[in-house]
Amino acid sequence: MNFLKSEGIKEPEEADILKTWYWTEKALYLLDQRKLPLVEKYVRCETVQQVRKAIKDMVVRGAPAIGICGAIGWVLGLKQFLKDLKKADLSKRKLEVFFNRMANLLVSARPTAVNLSWAVERMKKRAYEILKSFPERISKVDLEEINKFLEKEALRIWEEDLKANLKIAEYGKKILPEGGILTHCNTGALATGGYGTALGVIRKAYEEKRKIGIFVDETRPFLQGARLTAWELFKLKIPFTLITDNSAGFLMKKGVIQAVIVGADRIVKNGDTANKIGTYSLAVLANFHKIPFFVVAPSSSFDLSLEKGEEIPIEKRNPKEVLTCFKSKIAPLKSRACNLAFDVTPAELITAFITEKGILYPPYEKSIEKILALENNNRNES
Ligand code: MRU
């Protein structure tokens, strides 16, 4: 992406190999993550409803990625609203009602990853900021201009995430030990602005010839590890070993795994972290076997409005996702199934957080506050 070059940041050479989405000003094209690795097909979204559906159905998934798509969905929503508007102008009040409806629509698509509400709130805030300098009634022509600024804001969110990923990889490679590294779910280009968080650290360490063996959890039931992480590593020609989720403990006991590294959907004030279901079990296992457990995330994944993990909303998905695999039944369809999409790992099981601002160690109340509250204040003041 050219914004990297303009800022002197080295563009990952493989950026185009992992072309997970693109934006044409008219539509957002998303590589359909439900179909990978068997089929590489893009889904075209040109309305906010289509973006919401793509997020809800997991055509696109991963906390930072759904945040970026939510921001672009906002731009598409306003575009459609203006197209349908019969009058030449409208009141700010009517616009506010529309903005709130659009924000609720997008945020309700998936409740756990804070990046989605963070990005949508940022778009709403930016919209209100711009509107301040306009009179009570705003013309359609002005609103079309305003939407161009909002489009820039959405692309800035994307750009910032990619830059954060590259910084995270630099910090992360320094603390990742050599040996067997286990990762869960998918935290690569598919899940982010383009390079990856936990998988970005692994990728960087491999590229810099660190002696690591990569182990990928298959991550039932959506198989983000088996289908998506494996697809990305295969495309990048990085060797890996796929394991079933229930192999992790025994591999740790045998001394095959030296560290676990995962992403995050929401990290709260005390460091408790929501991530893909199965993360908590890995953290407990790592703790028992005295293996470091790293959580990798950009600052947009931190939610300082919540005190502890119990407050994080956990998404429950359709039991059918557990009862079927690639649309084939693997249990009688009338069986009861529990499909919690995320779990919460208590802060005390986390060795360190790797962020674009640096590495955070316990006590997390303090280290998180120090790095992120400061940054949020600066953001609010600017
Ligand atoms: O349900 P998913 O696939 O959206 O869950 C994704 C995860 O749990 C990731 O680990 C997290 O979003 C971080 S992605 C950089």
Side-chain angles (χ1 to χ4, degrees), residues 116-285:
L116 179 56
S117 52
W118 170 84
V120 168
E121 277 308 309
R122 180 163 151 180
M123 292 300 286
K124 194 159 126 185
K125 198 170 157 220
R126 183 78 187 114
Y128 286 150
E129 259 167 29
I130 301 173
L131 285 179
K132 266 191 211 150
S133 52
F134 284 83
E136 196 38 47
R137 288 197 77 81
I138 307 180
S139 74
K140 198 170 166 175
V141 177
D142 279 345
L143 272 171
E144 269 154 3
E145 273 312 298
I146 290 172
N147 209 15
K148 287 193 186 139
F149 286 105
L150 293 175
E151 180 185 339
K152 280 195 185 137
E153 185 71 5
L155 295 179
R156 207 173 296 132
I157 292 176
W158 184 344
E159 171 187 338
E160 282 172 11
D161 190 66
L162 180 52
K163 283 186 191 165
N165 284 191
L166 298 175
K167 281 194 188 152
I168 284 172
E170 288 297 326
Y171 283 117
K173 73 177 189 204
K174 292 182 193 142
I175 61 162
L176 201 64
E178 296 200 322
I181 307 294
L182 174 61
T183 190
H184 190 60
C185 195
N186 170 266
T187 58
L190 288 164
T192 62
Y195 189 82
T197 56
L199 197 59
V201 171
I202 290 177
R203 179 173 165 182
K204 190 81 192 162
Y206 176 81
E207 283 165 358
E208 303 217 342
K209 313 256 181 297
R210 301 285 307 280
K211 292 191 186 70
I212 56 168
I214 305 163
F215 289 84
V216 177
D217 257 2
E218 60 180 358
T219 319
R220 283 270 300 143
F222 194 70
L223 302 175
Q224 287 94 332
R227 299 189 303 102
L228 310 178
T229 300
W231 178 81
E232 287 197 31
L233 292 171
F234 178 76
K235 287 264 170 183
L236 295 168
K237 300 192 175 61
I238 299 178
F240 63 90
T241 304
L242 183 65
I243 63 167
T244 56
D245 296 339
N246 44 14
S247 308
F250 195 50
L251 287 175
M252 288 182 194
K253 183 176 189 301
K254 283 161 78 72
V256 175
I257 307 292
Q258 269 67 51
V260 179
I261 186 163
V262 297
D265 284 82
R266 191 185 300 232
I267 303 158
V268 298
K269 227 171 169 177
N270 70 352
D272 290 353
T273 297
N275 192 48
K276 180 51 51 198
I277 191 83
T279 303
Y280 169 63
S281 316
L282 288 179
V284 172
L285 284 171

Side-chain angles (χ1 to χ4, degrees), residues 48 73-78 97-107 120:
V48 63
W74 181 282
V75 177
L76 287 171
L78 183 54
V97 171
F98 167 71
F99 282 164
N100 285 333
R101 233 188 315 125
M102 190 158 61
N104 291 339
L105 180 79
L106 283 164
V107 170
V120 168

